[in-house]
Amino acid sequence: MLEHPSRKVGQYTLDGKLVKIYDTVREARKDFSNVNKVLKGTATKCKGYTFKYMS
């Protein structure tokens, strides 16, 4: 199994304000089960928030 480097994920309000930074997608998924769909672009929001990978 390949190990992928962890990527930080930012949780944002719909008007673009940063709410929280998660250290990994797995950590964000504990609070928001559909976060992967938002990060992949197949959904625009999850539970009233949007998510982006942090650079």
Side-chain angles (χ1 to χ4, degrees):
M1 178 188 266
L2 294 175
E3 290 283 328
H4 294 287
S6 297
R7 294 175 76 184
K8 292 186 184 287
V9 175
Q11 174 189 353
Y12 295 86
T13 62
L14 296 180
D15 59 353
K17 294 179 185 166
L18 180 63
V19 175
K20 185 173 181 176
I21 298 173
Y22 291 94
D23 288 328
T24 63
V25 174
R26 180 176 285 171
E27 186 181 315
R29 208 171 36 230
K30 289 178 185 177
D31 292 338
F32 300 94
S33 60
N34 288 334
V35 69
N36 283 20
K37 290 182 180 182
V38 178
L39 293 170
K40 290 179 182 179
T42 57
T44 57
K45 61 186 176 183
C46 177
K47 295 187 181 178
Y49 295 98
T50 189
F51 297 85
K52 299 176 188 173
Y53 287 114
M54 306 294 290
S55 48

